[in-house]
Amino acid sequence: MDAPALLDVYPTRDGGRPRAVPRPDPVVWSPWRPDAGLTIEQYAAYERDGFVVVPDVFDSSEMACLRAELDRMRTEPGLLERPEAIREKRSGALRSFFAPHRHSPTFAALLRDPRLLRVAELLLGGGVYVHQARVNYKPAFRGEGFYWHSDFETWHAEDGLPRLRALSASVALSENTALNGPLVLMRRSHRLFVSCPQPTPAQHYRDSLREQVVGTPDDASLAQLAEGGIEAAIGGPGSVIFFDANTMHGSAANITPYPRSNVFFVYNSVDNQPLAPFGGTPPRPGFVAERTDFRPLEAVRFRAPSAGVT
Ligand code: 6CS
Ligand code: FE
């Protein structure tokens, strides 16, 4: 007898009409604890709105170290020719670099910092690993936008994450102002999963990471989700935006002289490991979606190398 087909509680990329279904999974997977790096008000805001902006998590010396690493990676020839380097469609400027933690001990250390990891463990209810990491450069003048989308809709359809038990921590590496293409998020949109009926094209990530069309919701669904309000995540370098994998978000183009560079770490519960992609396409490459190392991360505090140490 064939194995029972796994029940897909988040059907999408399956043709037909768009559907908005209440999520069967909780938003927060363990009760608030005072030692987990969020105030009870921040924890409540995350659960209610699907995101929370936490100011001043990392200090100026740590940010200087991260920005230096950002610049090193942006100029290192060997890296820019790799598939992890994604360029803007129009200008060819560097848009994103995926899996920075595999090419930078600095970013590999940052994702283990308890100021991020403890929050992810609290909200996801236990051990976590990094499903995806990326630096979004959003360069001055030429940083193009990211249309409205739910990350989880893609991570479910194209990577095979079965349940809604993942979140993103976006560490601002530059000023995120109202003007330079900040992340914009729809409050309380995380509670409804909106299907995107268009089937997934082959090798879709080669296009979607530059400009996503398939996997973006229809206008009527977006208008419905926007009823909770839209908020720009404003914060200085060192602030962190924690947002649920299903929170509807995007960002406009950056036409200012000021880059909006953020590093994103996607923490996924070790109990939510990827299965075969639910949209029926082959799994995406490992630099976009972790497929082998699901060990729970151990917290180690990030320390910027002190300047002048010989
Ligand atoms: O496809 C993905 O996984 C990526 N795409 C977007 C627009 N956001 C999440 C992630 O970086
Ligand atoms: Fe996204």
Side-chain angles (χ1 to χ4, degrees):
M1 184 172 80
D2 292 342
L6 180 83
L7 176 65
D8 181 0
V9 294
Y10 294 107
T12 189
R13 310 284 175 96
D14 54 0
R17 295 176 51 77
R19 296 174 305 281
V21 298
R23 67 192 278 165
D25 291 312
V27 176
V28 292
W29 291 73
S30 51
W32 178 77
R33 294 192 304 271
D35 64 345
L38 286 183
T39 66
I40 195 161
E41 293 80 12
Q42 290 166 336
Y43 173 90
Y46 176 90
E47 198 276 336
R48 180 190 66 234
D49 297 337
F51 64 94
V52 66
V53 180
V54 182
D56 306 323
V57 176
F58 297 98
D59 68 28
S60 54
S61 66
E62 293 168 320
M63 296 321 299
C65 167
L66 293 171
R67 259 200 303 279
E69 186 65 358
L70 198 66
D71 291 339
R72 177 191 74 79
M73 293 183 73
R74 188 197 346 247
T75 53
E76 180 144 327
L79 290 180
L80 295 181
E81 276 59 60
R82 294 185 62 92
E84 291 90 336
I86 308 294
R87 293 188 173 279
E88 298 288 9
K89 278 185 91 164
R90 271 193 285 278
S91 65
L94 185 59
R95 176 177 172 93
S96 305
F97 191 90
F98 279 79
H101 57 309
R102 292 190 188 158
H103 302 276
S104 160
T106 302
F107 285 119
L110 181 64
L111 68 84
R112 286 168 172 75
D113 184 283
R115 290 167 283 184
L116 301 177
L117 194 52
R118 289 281 178 261
V119 173
E121 290 168 341
L122 170 78
L123 297 174
L124 300 178
V128 297
Y129 72 96
V130 168
H131 166 67
Q132 177 186 105
R134 66 198 182 274
V135 174
N136 279 354
Y137 279 87
K138 191 68 79 100
F141 303 118
R142 291 176 189 79
E144 294 166 35
F146 292 76
Y147 193 68
W148 292 112
H149 63 280
S150 152
D151 291 339
F152 177 73
E153 192 279 338
T154 291
W155 298 339
H156 183 68
E158 298 187 53
D159 299 335
L161 295 195
R163 301 305 291 242
L164 250 173
R165 195 170 180 180
L167 63 81
S168 292
S170 169
V171 180
L173 303 178
S174 70
E175 285 292 339
N176 284 220
T177 74
L179 305 174
N180 64 346
L183 204 63
V184 288
L185 307 105
M186 293 186 180
R187 283 196 204 92
R188 299 195 285 285
S189 60
H190 61 310
R191 297 191 170 285
L192 284 177
F193 179 78
V194 172
S195 69
C196 300
Q198 270 184 285
T200 311
Q203 304 287 332
H204 181 224
Y205 72 95
R206 292 186 173 162
D207 293 330
S208 69
L209 299 182
R210 302 178 78 195
E211 182 178 28
Q212 187 175 8
V213 176
V214 172
T216 60
D218 62 291
D219 294 358
S221 299
L222 287 171
Q224 178 189 357
L225 292 178
E227 285 167 8
I230 300 176
E231 182 172 331
I234 308 296
S239 59
V240 180
I241 311 155
F242 292 99
F243 60 107
D244 178 85
N246 189 45
T247 302
M248 196 57 63
H249 67 285
S251 61
N254 179 14
I255 57 171
T256 74
Y258 319 113
R260 192 230 70 193
S261 304
N262 291 27
V263 58
F264 292 72
F265 298 120
V266 178
Y267 295 99
N268 186 36
S269 165
V270 294
D271 298 329
N272 192 41
Q273 296 176 24
L275 305 173
F278 286 81
T281 48
R284 299 198 294 175
F287 69 81
V288 180
E290 180 60 55
R291 300 204 75 84
T292 55
D293 185 358
F294 305 123
R295 289 170 298 165
L297 288 164
E298 299 287 328
V300 177
R301 189 161 177 101
F302 176 72
R303 296 209 184 290
S306 42
V309 172
T310 50

